[in-house]
Amino acid sequence: MSTEQTTASHGFAYTLTRTLDAPAATVWRAWTDAEQYAQWAGAAAGSVEMDVRPGGAWRATMVTPDGGQFPLTGSYLEVAENRRLVTGMNIPGRSEPAAMVMELDEQDDQHTQIVLHQTCDTAEERDMAEQGSTMLLDSLSTFLTARARD
């Protein structure tokens, strides 16, 4: 996996770009298949549910490094298989879900550029979301590398 990552932060938004050593379809499945997602994203076993279609719901209970757990819920706002996924996350106290955009651009049959973008309400929210997204990309890279060796 390539560890090359670029980060751009503007106002309360961030964009992370990374090149993965996997075809777009493999990256897409890792991100949208509940079983695979649970393996790499730090979710509690059996807690991930995904209805990957516009308006479909998702939920997961994430496990922190210290063993704590917190539930996440949301919906899929836009789905373009193997290319673009816009995910809304429900945040307490917020009237609209926080939207994260994931875009895949297959460079060739073995390399895919992934771009994550999110606009937040505050600098603190942006920093936390960017940190979480960076951790997701690190875990996804590790997962895809291990799968390629199997």
Side-chain angles (χ1 to χ4, degrees), residues 91 94 98 118 120-130:
I91 297 177
R94 224 177 132 159
Q118 187 170 357
C120 303
D121 289 340
T122 66
E124 180 182 33
E125 181 185 333
R126 179 206 57 220
D127 293 347
M128 288 176 47
E130 184 176 354

Side-chain angles (χ1 to χ4, degrees), residues 31 37 49-60 71-79 84-92 94-102 117-119 125:
W31 202 282
Y37 185 86
E49 297 176 21
M50 298 177 157
D51 181 8
V52 185
R53 61 182 174 84
W58 64 268
R59 73 177 56 240
L72 296 175
T73 62
S75 61
Y76 295 101
L77 307 174
E78 185 180 332
V79 179
R84 181 177 167 92
L85 186 67
V86 181
T87 306
M89 183 183 327
N90 300 326
I91 297 177
R94 224 177 132 159
S95 60
E96 295 291 319
M100 183 178 70
V101 178
M102 180 206 44
H117 176 77
Q118 187 170 357
T119 300
E125 181 185 333

